[in-house]
Amino acid sequence: MVAEPGGPEDQKPQSDEARSAFSHPAGVGRPTGPPDEEHPTSEFALPTGLTPEPQGSGTGSGPGSASGSGPASGSDTLSSAFVPPRTYSAQNSPAFTPAHGIPMIRLTKEAPWQDRMRTMLRMPVTERPAPEQAQKADDDSGPAVPRVLDLTLRIGELLLAGGEGAEDVEAAMFAVTRSYGLDRCEPTVTFTLLSISHQPSLVDDPVTASRTVRRRGTDYTRLAAVFRLIDDITTEEAEISLEEAYRRLAEIRRNRHPYPGWVLTLAAGGLAGAASVLVGGGFVVFLIAALGAMLGDRLAWLFAGRGLPEFYQFVAAAMPPAAMGVALTLTHWSDVRPSAVITGGLFALLPGRALVAGVQDGLTGYYITAAARLLEVMYFFIGIVAGVLMVLYGGLQLGAELNPEARLISHDRPWLQILASMLLSLSFAILLQQERSTVLAVTLNGGVAWIIFGAMANTGKISPVAATAVAAGLVGLFGQLFSRYRYTSSLPFITAAIGPLLPGSATYFGLLGIAQNELDRGLASLSTAVATAGAIAIGVNLGSEISRLFMRVPGAVGGANRRAAKRTRGF
């Protein structure tokens, strides 16, 4: 028998376990207003009183739109946070974010590989385009990663040992790895250490290799050969395998210097003699300054053969020219300027190459390498100071009358000084072991530099430091132009051309003031020398950057502009 509803069985009170804790209590009316906080609504639900916009018209409301039509295009569609808006179209959507897009950096293949790789180095890693493998591997399985990294480090070692800037070395290493199809490579260059890391994918372990640069030598012929090898590797038409690249690199290492030792000694003498003519010396001064510089060069070679550090080699090389000047003073030659002899010897020793490379690394953001290079320059300069001061102190004890008031530069023979500046640049180019095909260009560049300096400083009465900066800027500009036509490094066209601008006379007067216990005058002259050296380095770097901004690529199809990449260091 089934009990009817409302019977005695239905009237029994229920136990606490049978009653739900969330049921509405008996005798209490249900609320008719909005729900309280115990019953929250969805954050994506439409607020009460808001009527959604009808979707019968507008972009994206048609049958083929992404938002669709029909029942799914009503308020249910708008209430979801993961449904794209009505105006969105997958076919016409922008390819970049934010809404206006990020402009794509296009690397024209007509541009030199230095500019293309420098642009990629300054780009974020996520924005770099994938490499297009242009060179053949040893087999069909792909490039041998350890061998590619080893080849890259060997090439970077030759460039760094030859005096190339840290940014250019990284660009060269990056070009080699990308040419053999290795993506996600990060080269790192410091003063003595080269390293490169390659990560095959996001889930694979990176492969890292490093190499230490222990010996440095100045040979711009070898530097140019390395640049030609990199240019062939980065060119799609020239298929250079790893074996071929290793073979050519071994030939570059085995090649002899283009000039023998006795030619380098004569070049050191010619450099010192030309510098003495620039500061007012005559033919006799030219011969004596050349003889002192050649004796200093041979003495430095002797110290180097005994394994002494370069600091003592500079000390030894600075002593013979200073001794020649003191000897002329003691013999009382009235028609010979001893100061011109000593100044010419200093021109042959000032480390202009290392100074320019150090300042360039600092301006491009490689501060560790820049600090190390500038510290090396300081040690060399201290060695020159020590050698000259020892001789000057000895001469003063013997009664030598060195007149610091005798100014050196003569203003009445500009043609002779222009020829002397060209001879100085020619001698400097031979000392740097440059290719014979580049000697004429750098000689003309040095003559132009002296013409600009003389016109501004002597004729226009402008500050010598400012005139030096402008002349060095033009040297850097023309050097970059010459290098673009030959697709090689710009150092062979720049380093020797700044020789006539080096602060030899200011250095000598500073040392003479210190030797005569006139510290104020001596330190003031040394400060002028430091300012002039900084003006040379900054001017060269600025001229190079200006050439990248406004010059067109020589031989490029369509005249593609070469612009400097945006830098974000320090921001």
Side-chain angles (χ1 to χ4, degrees):
M1 181 176 180
V2 180
E4 296 181 0
E9 293 83 359
D10 198 34
Q11 299 296 328
K12 292 181 180 180
Q14 297 179 351
S15 62
D16 294 337
E17 291 79 3
R19 184 183 303 114
S20 173
F22 300 98
S23 62
H24 197 72
V28 179
R30 296 182 179 273
T32 57
D36 52 9
E37 296 181 356
E38 296 182 357
H39 302 276
T41 59
S42 173
E43 296 180 0
F44 302 102
L46 289 177
T48 305
L50 178 63
T51 303
E53 181 181 357
Q55 300 186 12
S57 60
T59 305
S61 59
S65 63
S67 58
S69 60
S73 62
S75 59
D76 294 338
T77 303
L78 292 177
S79 63
S80 175
F82 301 98
V83 175
R86 294 183 300 103
T87 57
Y88 175 82
S89 175
Q91 297 178 352
N92 300 324
S93 61
F96 303 95
T97 55
H100 297 287
I102 301 174
M104 178 182 296
I105 298 180
R106 299 184 180 275
L107 303 176
T108 58
K109 296 184 179 181
E110 291 81 8
W113 64 265
Q114 298 99 315
D115 291 339
R116 290 186 280 117
M117 294 303 108
R118 186 180 291 108
T119 301
M120 294 199 63
L121 280 175
R122 296 173 181 176
M123 292 171 58
V125 180
T126 56
E127 297 180 10
R128 293 174 183 172
E132 299 177 2
Q133 186 171 345
Q135 301 301 332
K136 288 183 177 180
D138 295 335
D139 51 23
D140 297 335
S141 61
V145 174
R147 298 197 67 197
V148 173
L149 298 184
D150 179 72
L151 174 67
T152 303
L153 289 174
R154 292 177 183 271
I155 290 177
E157 179 189 10
L158 288 180
L159 295 178
L160 188 62
E164 196 67 58
E167 187 178 34
D168 294 327
V169 175
E170 284 195 0
M173 296 172 64
F174 200 69
V176 174
T177 55
R178 289 186 64 85
S179 297
Y180 286 105
L182 297 187
D183 196 6
R184 292 181 293 274
C185 286
E186 287 297 332
T188 303
V189 176
T190 58
F191 185 59
T192 57
L193 181 64
L194 296 167
S195 64
I196 186 167
S197 178
H198 167 64
Q199 188 172 11
S201 65
L202 297 177
V203 297
D204 293 330
D205 295 332
V207 180
T208 303
S210 61
R211 197 173 184 89
T212 302
V213 179
R214 302 190 182 278
R215 295 191 60 184
R216 299 177 182 273
T218 304
D219 189 345
Y220 282 178
T221 300
R222 178 179 297 175
L223 191 69
V226 175
F227 266 79
R228 284 194 293 268
L229 173 60
I230 300 173
D231 186 63
D232 291 340
I233 291 176
T234 56
T235 302
E236 295 184 1
E237 290 76 11
E239 296 180 349
I240 307 296
S241 64
L242 283 175
E243 294 297 334
E244 176 68 15
Y246 268 108
R247 185 190 63 79
R248 290 183 55 178
L249 190 62
E251 291 180 354
I252 292 172
R253 286 181 174 274
R254 288 195 301 264
N255 281 347
R256 283 188 166 187
H257 299 304
Y259 307 103
W262 64 270
V263 174
L264 299 181
T265 301
L266 290 178
L271 193 156
S276 65
V277 174
L278 280 181
V279 295
F283 181 72
V284 178
V285 172
F286 177 91
L287 293 179
I288 297 175
L291 179 61
M294 288 189 289
L295 289 176
D297 181 75
R298 288 292 92 190
L299 190 59
W301 276 102
L302 179 63
F303 277 38
R306 296 298 184 271
L308 292 178
E310 284 186 297
F311 175 83
Y312 301 104
Q313 298 176 28
F314 272 84
V315 173
M319 296 178 70
M324 288 285 185
V326 172
L328 290 177
T329 304
L330 293 175
T331 55
H332 302 287
W333 280 26
S334 59
D335 55 344
V336 176
R337 294 184 179 182
S339 299
V341 175
I342 301 176
T343 301
L346 291 177
F347 265 88
L349 296 175
L350 292 177
R353 174 182 60 87
L355 174 68
V356 172
V359 175
Q360 179 180 359
D361 288 341
L363 293 176
T364 52
Y366 295 83
Y367 301 114
I368 297 177
T369 307
R373 288 186 189 270
L374 294 179
L375 185 62
E376 181 187 40
V377 171
M378 186 187 73
Y379 272 106
F380 291 163
F381 190 77
I382 292 176
I384 297 171
V385 168
V388 174
L389 279 181
M390 284 191 294
V391 176
L392 292 182
Y393 274 125
L396 292 176
Q397 297 300 321
L398 295 176
E401 297 180 357
L402 297 173
N403 184 14
E405 302 298 332
R407 291 303 165 188
L408 300 176
I409 297 179
S410 177
H411 306 289
D412 55 353
R413 47 180 192 174
W415 290 106
L416 181 60
Q417 290 181 336
I418 293 174
L419 293 178
S421 66
M422 297 175 66
L423 176 60
L424 192 153
S425 299
L426 173 63
S427 303
F428 205 172
I430 295 176
L431 286 175
L432 295 174
Q433 300 280 2
Q434 291 191 197
E435 292 180 308
R436 292 179 175 87
S437 59
T438 64
V439 169
L440 178 60
V442 73
T443 301
L444 296 176
N445 203 9
V448 171
W450 182 258
I451 291 174
I452 299 300
F453 172 80
M456 296 183 64
N458 300 336
T459 305
K461 305 301 180 183
I462 301 176
S463 170
V465 176
T468 301
V470 174
L474 290 178
V475 167
L477 186 65
F478 293 148
Q480 284 289 338
L481 183 61
F482 288 144
S483 68
R484 296 303 167 181
Y485 274 106
R486 299 178 62 90
Y487 291 95
T488 184
S489 172
S490 62
L491 288 181
F493 302 97
I494 291 178
T495 306
I498 65 173
L501 304 176
L502 293 175
S505 59
T507 304
Y508 165 70
F509 284 123
L511 299 179
L512 182 58
I514 295 175
Q516 294 179 341
N517 292 327
E518 297 181 2
L519 296 180
D520 294 340
R521 182 168 52 83
L523 293 178
S525 296
L526 288 180
S527 300
T528 303
V530 172
T532 303
I536 292 174
I538 295 175
V540 167
N541 182 264
L542 183 60
S544 301
E545 293 293 336
I546 290 176
S547 69
R548 296 190 186 102
L549 281 172
F550 300 107
M551 289 292 178
R552 294 182 179 273
V553 180
V557 179
N561 289 331
R562 186 200 309 101
R563 297 186 179 273
K566 180 181 179 182
R567 292 177 181 153
T568 57
R569 297 186 180 97
F571 294 94

